[in-house]
Amino acid sequence: MSQHPTPSLADGIADAIGFVGGALAGFWLGQWLGMDIFAPGYGTRALVGIALVGLGGGLGLHAARRWQTSRRNKPSKD
């Protein structure tokens, strides 16, 4: 049986940095494309901007977890 490693503070910080970094990247991509998430109402441009922020956050979190897994699976240099 394979045991899952217990989450550490470093894992949580890496997840948070990945999520926030990805969400900010999605926000700035939306701004560059003219999608304002803070526009009044829920027009198409605002909804696409909100979707980009969510997608960026999810991709950033996924990238952070892949990075953590790759670091955990590297052989030690003992």
Side-chain angles (χ1 to χ4, degrees), residues 6 9 13 21 30 33 35 37-39 47 49 61 63 65-67 69 75:
T6 57
L9 180 62
I13 290 172
L33 294 172
M35 310 294 172
I37 67 171
F38 300 114
L47 290 176
L61 178 61
R65 289 193 176 167
R66 287 192 64 163
W67 175 72
T69 302

Side-chain angles (χ1 to χ4, degrees), residues 2 7-8 10 14 17 37 46-47 64:
S2 160
S8 68
I17 290 171
I37 67 171
L47 290 176

Side-chain angles (χ1 to χ4, degrees), residues 11-27 52-65 68:
D11 291 339
I13 290 172
D15 285 351
I17 290 171
F19 177 79
V20 171
L24 284 172
F27 173 76
L52 284 172
V53 170
L55 183 65
L59 288 174
L61 178 61
H62 182 71
R65 289 193 176 167
Q68 291 170 31

